[in-house]
Amino acid sequence: MAEGSSTPNSGGEPVLGGWFLKAPEKRGKAQRRYFELFFLPLSAEIRYYSDIEFNQESRVTRGKVQDQKGAIPIYHGSVILFNSEEPILAVCNPTRTWKLTADSIEIAGEWGKTLRKVVADNRAVDAGEEDPGTRYSVLNIPKPKGPAPRAAAS
């Protein structure tokens, strides 16, 4: 948690990270990308990258800023779809739907459950039912562990 804040990882560190195959928006082929979930002061965001690096000193895997390909906003109106039969996760916003395929059903489920909690928390804060100063504190998400495997060359 950032010092002076009860919001976990609000200082800009990712709270979840992993590889997904991202379906194209309109046409083209799916691309393997590294995704990270960030908590922002008033919302959350998934950033995705074409490449990552592992900082040996801080033991943190991070997307390279220069290789960031995009971001997916997560807010009170986002709809998160996943099930226990396929490793597919969909993030639906009014202007776009992102379809992501995980390496396993378990990974898609972990991300899906976490994102649904984030959306529910955003709704509660926006409705005045939760204190914005404690946004996401109930999630108890640990920091990402160790290096992620590099994307397979395609």
Side-chain angles (χ1 to χ4, degrees):
M1 253 184 252
E3 190 172 11
S5 169
S6 56
T7 302
N9 301 297
S10 60
E13 291 295 317
V15 294
L16 207 53
W19 289 100
F20 287 87
L21 197 60
K22 184 181 91 50
E25 183 175 5
K26 294 184 180 170
R27 55 183 165 201
K29 66 177 193 165
Q31 299 287 325
R32 190 156 172 84
R33 300 284 185 235
Y34 188 75
F35 289 77
E36 293 178 322
L37 173 62
F38 287 85
F39 292 153
L40 307 174
L42 300 175
S43 64
E45 177 178 83
I46 300 171
R47 298 174 191 163
Y48 54 96
Y49 307 87
S50 60
D51 197 9
I52 59 165
E53 63 183 14
F54 181 68
N55 184 323
Q56 195 67 31
E57 187 175 305
S58 64
R59 306 290 302 162
V60 174
T61 301
R62 294 298 308 264
K64 295 180 188 176
V65 174
Q66 69 270 22
D67 293 325
Q68 184 175 341
K69 295 297 184 183
I72 304 171
I74 306 297
Y75 64 102
H76 70 276
S78 298
V79 176
I80 311 301
L81 303 173
F82 67 99
N83 64 50
S84 61
E85 298 173 10
E86 300 175 294
I88 296 173
L89 173 69
V91 179
C92 309
N93 284 336
T95 59
R96 180 164 176 199
T97 296
W98 288 264
K99 184 178 175 185
L100 311 174
T101 303
D103 290 337
S104 70
I105 292 169
E106 293 77 23
I107 292 171
E110 175 188 10
W111 275 76
K113 289 173 188 171
T114 299
L115 292 174
R116 282 185 178 170
K117 289 177 184 177
V118 169
V119 170
D121 195 66
N122 284 342
R123 284 187 186 133
V125 169
D126 291 347
E129 300 165 3
E130 295 275 339
D131 177 7
T134 61
R135 185 181 292 268
Y136 312 128
S137 61
V138 298
L139 296 178
N140 296 322
I141 298 174
K143 285 194 165 196
K145 300 175 190 157
R150 303 231 5 128
S154 48

